[in-house]
Amino acid sequence: MTVTIIGGGVGGLTAALALKARGIECRVLESARQIRPLGVGINLLPHATAVLDALGVLRALEAVSIATKEAAYYNRFGQLIHVEPLGRAAGYATPQLSIHRGELQMVLLDAVLSRLGAHAVRTGIRCVGVEQDADGVTLRLHDSETGQALPPERASVVVAADGIHSVIRRQFFPDEAPYLYSGVNMWRGVTRMKPILSHATMVRAGWLAHGKMVIYPIRDHPDGTQLMNWVAEIETPSHAENDWAKPGRLEDFLPAFAGWHFDWLDVPAMIRAADVVLEYPMVDKDPLSRWSHGRVTLLGDAAHPMYPRGSNGAGQAILDAKALAECLGGQADPVAALRDYEARRLGPTAQVVRTNRTAPPDAIIREVWQRTGDKPFARIEDVISADELAAMLDGYRKVAGYDKAALNPP
Ligand SMILES: Cc1cc2nc3c(=O)[nH]c(=O)nc-3n(C[C@H](O)[C@H](O)[C@H](O)COP(=O)(O)OP(=O)(O)OC[C@H]3O[C@@H](n4cnc5c(N)ncnc54)[C@H](O)[C@@H]3O)c2cc1C
């Protein structure tokens, strides 16, 4: 069996490693001429790092990331609402990693090239469609720079890991909207600066009407500084196209955070000192009724793009990769294997997509925002109990599949 994976992002490269680990021959076609470390920060929860550990890349990832120790929730006045341990500090067997998306992709790419060989990843090739018959799949390919047609190629199975703008998803669901806008626009950046709080804290602060921030370090530097990843989110009726590389303008969002001078962080100073600022709308798509069509299936953002509100986008793609390899490795009939893969992953990921819309982890700051009428509080215990906060966060962990009891059985 030969599997062709369309897309050399986090999902596609992890799928290549997982298939190789099961002795299944595969190759990756990537539209970018060169795979370069693009993007800003991303989080990998313990369920995803457990998969990466089993694939033998966790150590390399730990060398270029921060093992996040705690999550801290604040209101927009800088008052602490709740803090809880994360990753190994919370008793998980594997860490929660905060990492630059590009570093994650490059570690995965190095592993794929060294284990599958240099020929396994071919760049500059854009898949524009697939056709299948009883024996296999024909991929229609174009040179991604010139747009010229390339000779078609055959595979036993095709995995479309081609991201939120997936052409294969569009082929199967031509009437679907390109994406659904949440009403929240995001500006993302990285700033080299002195560490804050525990030096490994993921901060969520404020709420969307006035502006919300997510802030966490993704890399230590030898001089004692860290690369701090931050995301500013503001409710905004209009938005630009969803292009991961679109530069953002400070004047569009900095005023919302102008008063955020806390004793633990000067937010406007951090934003002004950014190395890079990108603008991206918070978008997703409705869950699909099916992913697998005969010998072709979807994986990662192609299958289930979701709001980046629970640190699950990359992680769920990694879990898909594991399930796909187990299903294809577990039986000879690829069509049945892809049906099993869909049966295992479509329901759980659809639930994450829906929960990220309504009750992601930051719902606890929304709750405090509502109960206080967006005013400072005297004592958080008078606003919400620790048990209520813990129950909301536990609920999300169960939906996203990293509830500790399920992940680390005694
Ligand atoms: C350039 C870029 C920057 C990103 N930056 C961030 C970020 O800063 N923070 C964040 O949370 N998420 C970011 N993401 C999204 C994040 O990587 C995904 O949500 C998550 O990792 C799931 O990965 P995926 O492999 O399913 O999709 P993606 O990571 O989107 O990978 C899809 C891959 O498929 C390739 N591709 C697309 N169409 C075709 C085609 N027709 N033929 C061949 N190849 C194709 C793309 O070039 C890409 O490499 C970014 C994605 C991209 C592509």
Side-chain angles (χ1 to χ4, degrees):
M1 182 183 333
T2 313
V3 179
T4 296
I5 299 166
I6 308 171
V10 174
L13 293 172
T14 309
L17 291 177
L19 291 168
K20 173 69 182 170
R22 296 203 159 244
I24 301 171
E25 202 190 317
C26 65
R27 60 193 170 199
V28 178
L29 302 180
E30 165 57 47
S31 60
R33 176 65 60 202
Q34 199 193 350
I35 299 186
R36 290 181 300 122
L38 297 175
V40 284
I42 235 173
N43 253 263
L44 297 171
L45 298 174
H47 53 2
T49 56
V51 175
L52 296 167
D53 191 20
L55 291 174
V57 290
L58 184 58
R59 212 179 262 188
L61 291 170
E62 284 180 297
V64 292
S65 62
I66 300 277
T68 303
K69 283 192 227 156
E70 61 178 21
Y73 298 84
Y74 293 85
N75 63 11
R76 74 181 172 103
F77 309 102
Q79 293 181 291
L80 183 65
I81 293 170
H82 184 62
V83 63
E84 63 163 12
L86 294 178
R88 285 205 173 107
Y92 287 95
T94 54
Q96 172 163 340
L97 295 184
S98 297
I99 187 166
H100 193 289
R101 176 192 176 272
E103 304 250 38
L104 167 62
Q105 193 181 14
M106 297 320 275
V107 167
L108 295 171
L109 178 65
D110 285 350
V112 170
L113 294 177
S114 76
R115 294 178 199 179
L116 281 75
H119 60 280
V121 180
R122 282 152 60 212
T123 55
I125 300 178
R126 181 172 167 73
C127 179
V128 294
V130 289
E131 271 109 42
Q132 49 187 316
D133 51 51
D135 303 324
V137 189
T138 303
L139 293 104
R140 282 185 286 114
L141 306 173
H142 281 182
D143 181 302
S144 53
E145 260 171 27
T146 64
Q148 269 187 338
L150 299 170
E153 292 186 14
R154 292 279 289 170
S156 327
V157 167
V158 167
V159 178
D162 50 345
I164 187 163
H165 301 294
S166 169
V167 290
I168 305 304
R169 178 172 174 142
R170 202 175 324 126
Q171 177 177 335
F172 290 122
F173 300 92
D175 300 328
E176 192 188 29
Y179 57 84
L180 303 172
Y181 179 51
S182 62
V184 175
N185 209 14
M186 300 188 291
W187 289 265
R188 318 168 68 104
V190 285
T191 304
R192 195 168 168 150
M193 57 187 264
K194 277 204 211 134
I196 61 165
L197 302 169
S198 75
H199 299 202
T201 303
M202 179 182 226
V203 169
R204 294 179 176 92
W207 191 246
L208 301 166
H210 292 279
K212 188 193 128 195
M213 298 256 357
V214 181
I215 304 161
Y216 52 86
I218 55 175
R219 188 80 196 251
D220 282 323
H221 290 295
D223 65 358
T225 61
Q226 289 185 319
L227 192 63
M228 196 68 76
N229 182 79
W230 49 263
V231 187
E233 302 173 14
I234 306 177
E235 275 174 357
T236 316
S238 61
H239 66 281
E241 269 305 290
N242 61 332
D243 169 3
W244 286 113
K246 183 181 185 321
R249 300 184 319 167
L250 290 190
E251 59 269 36
D252 290 339
F253 70 102
L254 185 54
F257 304 96
W260 287 36
H261 304 284
F262 308 136
D263 53 2
W264 50 274
L265 176 64
D266 185 330
V267 173
M270 175 186 73
I271 294 174
R272 275 201 200 91
D275 294 349
V276 64
V277 179
L278 301 170
E279 181 184 342
Y280 193 81
M282 192 183 283
V283 296
D284 69 2
K285 294 187 184 184
D286 283 332
L288 292 174
S289 53
R290 57 188 289 203
W291 297 350
S292 297
H293 301 253
R295 292 168 175 268
V296 181
T297 197
L298 307 175
L299 182 146
D301 277 8
H304 46 68
M306 56 184 64
Y307 297 164
R309 292 175 80 181
S311 310
N312 259 292
Q316 294 295 331
I318 290 165
L319 298 188
D320 291 349
K322 172 178 187 280
L324 176 80
E326 286 170 0
C327 292
L328 282 171
Q331 58 178 302
D333 176 5
V335 176
L338 295 191
R339 266 202 308 268
D340 286 354
Y341 157 68
E342 175 190 298
R344 267 178 66 175
R345 294 295 299 151
L346 192 149
T349 53
Q351 223 190 331
V352 182
V353 169
R354 291 196 195 96
T355 308
N356 280 7
R357 291 176 180 173
T358 54
D362 59 14
I364 72 170
I365 43 183
R366 176 182 61 198
E367 192 66 27
V368 171
W369 173 75
Q370 281 167 344
R371 291 187 191 188
T372 56
D374 190 31
K375 297 273 182 327
F377 51 76
R379 285 171 14 110
I380 188 63
E381 302 83 334
D382 299 334
V383 180
I384 191 164
S385 72
D387 285 351
E388 244 183 302
L389 290 169
M392 290 171 82
L393 292 166
D394 278 346
Y396 186 78
R397 274 189 275 272
K398 287 202 176 78
V399 166
Y402 67 107
D403 174 45
K404 202 162 49 189
L407 208 57
N408 293 353

